[in-house]
Amino acid sequence: MTELPDRRLLLVHAHPDDESINNGATMARYAAEGAHVTLVTCTLGERGEVIPPELAHLTGAALGQYRRQELAAAMAELGVRDVRLLGGAGRYSDSGMMGLPDNDDPGCFWQADVDEAAAHLVEVIREVRPQVLVTYDDDGGYGHPDHIQAHRVAMRAAELSAEAGAPVAKVYWNRVPRPVVEEAFARLHDDLPGLPFTKAAAVDDVPGVVAEERVTTVVDGTAHAAAKAAAMRAHATQVTVAEPYFVLSNELAQPILATEYYELVRGERGPGERETDLFAGVEETS
């Protein structure tokens, strides 16, 4: 096997586009610094709502394949070359929004056996040996079943990997400190008259918003803001970008955050009041 770089980061996401919105600047920064960045996407987002009218004919498997192409284009913008689909392409399908009949589809990710799905992720962990894993909190950031399941699978895989002698040194959840997002929305409201969007989302529409003291780690990705926006733009079925803002299919504007925030939930915290590097304290780990 080819020798991997000293720093190895694994991100686990539910659908194509989640990675760029949540962690695009982080991924671009670490890829540019020479770290090995691995993305595992759990579904192809076959039940996503399509924004452009000219692509509205895409549904089901056809949409999933199109979103896979969007994902490849987005990762090219971020410089990420190691992209996996959990269990292989088509293994788990999009579960739709919480409470819909789609959740009962036996092939959807929400219905997957957690240990079985985690075993697929353990294979990736044993191969790549990441020191850092990033995923969602136990609510999936905003309650989507696939996000909740991605959290469960990622956390279980970390447990199983440790039991098998391949521990992940640090596990993080995506976060956004409330004061930061409130300030960003204040700017958005000032800028809204000049934007191609007519309405703004609310602070609580942003996944992972927490009190500032919950945030342990701040990753400054401002040098990679353009790459993050380009990656988000590549997900054209799901995202419309007008930097530094974007909308999803609900047409409610949100800020694009180039500084990204995390809560360390497993592992030793690096020195200082707040970490500025996901690898703080583990850079010498093989």
Side-chain angles (χ1 to χ4, degrees), residues 21 197 232 239-242 244-248 252-257:
I21 295 169
F197 315 130
M232 291 173 62
V239 184
T240 302
V241 174
Y245 305 107
F246 73 101
V247 297
L248 301 172
L252 299 177
Q254 297 185 42
I256 298 174
L257 300 178

Side-chain angles (χ1 to χ4, degrees), residues 135-185:
T135 191
Y136 315 104
D137 64 13
D138 54 3
D139 187 48
Y142 71 107
H144 191 293
D146 287 333
H147 288 240
I148 295 170
Q149 190 77 323
H151 160 85
R152 293 172 177 169
V153 168
M155 299 304 289
R156 182 59 177 149
E159 291 176 354
L160 294 172
S161 295
E163 292 170 5
V168 178
K170 303 177 83 173
V171 178
Y172 290 94
W173 292 347
N174 295 308
R175 292 301 192 193
V176 184
R178 184 170 292 275
V180 167
V181 75
E182 287 176 346
E183 183 179 335
F185 270 93

Side-chain angles (χ1 to χ4, degrees), residues 44-237:
L44 287 173
E46 299 91 341
R47 291 189 166 100
E49 297 180 359
V50 176
I51 295 174
E54 65 273 18
L55 298 176
H57 63 282
L58 293 171
T59 60
L63 175 58
Q65 288 308 309
Y66 195 91
R67 293 188 70 178
R68 188 177 183 182
Q69 296 171 19
E70 292 182 331
L71 180 61
M75 293 305 94
E77 296 289 355
L78 299 180
V80 174
R81 298 177 177 83
D82 188 4
V83 182
R84 321 280 183 104
L85 298 174
L86 185 67
R91 179 65 182 84
Y92 301 109
S93 65
D94 188 342
S95 307
M97 299 300 288
M98 186 67 84
L100 296 179
D102 297 333
N103 304 163
D104 299 324
D105 182 343
C108 78
F109 190 45
W110 184 238
Q111 292 296 328
D113 179 84
V114 170
D115 276 8
E116 177 187 285
H120 295 304
L121 187 57
V122 169
E123 292 178 10
V124 179
I125 293 173
R126 290 176 68 88
E127 176 190 341
V128 177
R129 306 187 315 280
Q131 298 106 330
V132 176
L133 186 155
V134 171
T135 191
Y136 315 104
D137 64 13
D138 54 3
D139 187 48
Y142 71 107
H144 191 293
D146 287 333
H147 288 240
I148 295 170
Q149 190 77 323
H151 160 85
R152 293 172 177 169
V153 168
M155 299 304 289
R156 182 59 177 149
E159 291 176 354
L160 294 172
S161 295
E163 292 170 5
V168 178
K170 303 177 83 173
V171 178
Y172 290 94
W173 292 347
N174 295 308
R175 292 301 192 193
V176 184
R178 184 170 292 275
V180 167
V181 75
E182 287 176 346
E183 183 179 335
F185 270 93
R187 291 194 300 270
L188 166 58
H189 283 286
D190 289 342
D191 294 344
L192 196 58
L195 297 175
F197 315 130
T198 58
K199 296 181 179 179
V203 167
D204 288 332
D205 292 330
V206 177
V209 174
V210 292
E212 192 164 20
E213 55 267 24
R214 293 285 298 274
V215 174
T216 62
T217 312
V218 181
V219 175
D220 183 356
T222 51
H224 305 280
K228 175 172 180 169
M232 291 173 62
R233 192 175 284 112
H235 290 290
T237 61

